Amino acid sequence: MVTGPIQQPSVAPPAVRPPAARRPSPPGDLPALVRALAVPPGEPRWRERVVRHLTPVRRGFAEHVRITEGPAGLYAEVLAQAPRLHRGVRLLTREHAAIVAALADLQRAVERPGVCAEELRRRTDDLLRALSRHRQRGADLLWQAYQTDLGGET
């Protein structure tokens, strides 16, 4: 007789889950970038501080792209597991290009003294929204690829 609730796995068994080293992770330290932009722009070295926090975000996203794209990337594994997800992979890959361009544009804008702080904050907010959407779409894609259909559940 069962005396407690039966636990059902909520994710795929370990054998089909992508290795931890291959799972997408947030690029750089986004909260640090947001905090740097929140400091009043009149503070000494404000722009340098923003650039210092933007650089790891750019590097982190470049690493994310490297891990996910390419013949040995996570997306290739997803397509091997679930070819039906080709459209989702293509969308995420296009988003990579757009986010890389937005990061480069933000970097150039921060380095130009004539661009006001409000413009930089607006661009950063747009970038953060794009990253959030991208992260959710990536998580949804992985869930679709690696979910386990237990069947018989209502």
Side-chain angles (χ1 to χ4, degrees):
M1 179 161 127
V2 177
T3 59
I6 297 173
Q7 300 265 331
Q8 292 291 333
S10 60
V11 294
V16 295
R17 252 188 261 150
R22 302 285 303 270
R23 289 187 200 133
S25 61
D29 188 355
L30 292 171
L33 175 60
V34 171
R35 285 190 306 272
L37 280 160
V39 171
E43 292 287 320
R45 306 177 91 143
W46 179 80
R47 286 182 187 273
E48 292 87 356
R49 186 176 304 124
V50 172
V51 169
R52 186 174 69 239
H53 291 293
L54 180 58
T55 300
V57 172
R58 289 184 73 188
R59 278 194 211 119
F61 197 76
E63 179 66 10
H64 165 77
V65 170
R66 188 190 67 74
I67 288 170
T68 55
E69 292 185 16
L74 179 61
Y75 293 163
E77 288 180 20
V78 165
L79 291 175
Q81 178 76 20
R84 71 186 185 282
L85 299 175
H86 177 73
R87 182 176 175 271
V89 167
R90 199 174 63 238
L91 172 68
L92 289 169
T93 302
R94 280 196 312 260
E95 286 180 359
H96 285 170
I99 291 169
V100 166
L103 284 163
D105 288 345
L106 180 59
Q107 178 97 33
R108 283 189 295 275
V110 169
E111 292 171 348
R112 282 195 317 261
V115 178
C116 72
E118 285 309 311
E119 172 67 14
L120 297 175
R121 288 183 182 120
R122 185 194 59 75
R123 287 180 186 217
T124 303
D125 286 344
D126 292 346
L127 175 65
L128 291 173
R129 277 191 296 280
L131 285 167
S132 178
R133 281 190 309 269
H134 180 73
R135 188 178 312 158
Q136 184 60 54
R137 284 184 182 126
D140 291 346
L141 181 89
L142 290 177
W143 185 85
Q144 290 170 10
Y146 295 103
Q147 74 174 329
T148 301
D149 183 6
L150 299 176
E153 296 179 0
T154 56

